[in-house]
Amino acid sequence: MKYVILMQVDPAVLENLTEEQQQQIGEGHGAFMAETKERGEFVATQALADPSRSKVVRSGADGPEVTDGPFAESKEYLGGFYLVDVADEARALELAKRIPDASIPGLALEVRPVMFADLGEE
């Protein structure tokens, strides 16, 4: 079963990380990817740009309109995700706890089952 692990980011927390914490995050993500690839659980990951660089497309009076993002007022934003293919929710949660962000106060990981996926494979 596939699960997406969404990395929720608070920019204020990121700005206040020590160099050691930044290094732990970088090395921790590398180790997490290597382990899940080795176990055949890794499907994909993407890191996303800051929401100040996003655009929002939504319905307008004359058809779709494009505005600057983000679409919601919130201090936290989606910073990226992992897509994993695991046996069950318990394993997905176990993996989420191993992502370095889980050890930093103010950051969060949301684990959600994938209902449908098309990864472009033939």
Side-chain angles (χ1 to χ4, degrees):
M1 180 164 198
K2 289 185 177 67
Y3 284 84
V4 66
I5 302 172
L6 304 167
M7 293 176 275
Q8 300 297 330
V9 176
D10 182 337
V13 171
L14 293 183
E15 290 171 9
N16 291 310
L17 292 176
T18 66
E19 284 186 36
E20 181 181 347
Q21 288 173 315
Q22 291 174 12
Q23 184 177 352
Q24 286 174 336
I25 287 176
E27 291 173 358
H29 280 281
F32 179 82
M33 288 185 282
E35 177 189 343
T36 53
K37 285 177 181 178
E38 185 177 308
R39 293 179 57 98
E41 297 171 321
F42 182 91
V43 177
T45 187
Q46 296 287 306
L48 303 176
D50 184 275
S52 65
R53 297 180 55 192
S54 68
K55 302 291 184 202
V56 176
V57 178
R58 65 169 47 107
S59 175
D62 297 320
E65 296 177 349
V66 178
T67 60
D68 288 338
F71 59 89
E73 293 296 321
S74 175
K75 68 178 183 174
E76 293 182 346
Y77 62 88
L78 177 63
F81 68 88
Y82 284 103
L83 180 60
V84 296
D85 192 353
V86 295
D88 54 28
E89 181 182 79
R91 178 62 180 158
L93 291 169
E94 179 183 330
L95 289 175
K97 290 177 186 177
R98 300 184 79 177
I99 296 172
D101 303 41
S103 300
I104 301 199
L107 301 183
L109 298 159
E110 177 185 349
V111 178
R112 190 183 304 180
V114 174
M115 300 302 293
F116 170 82
D118 181 346
L119 302 174
E121 300 169 346
E122 293 185 31

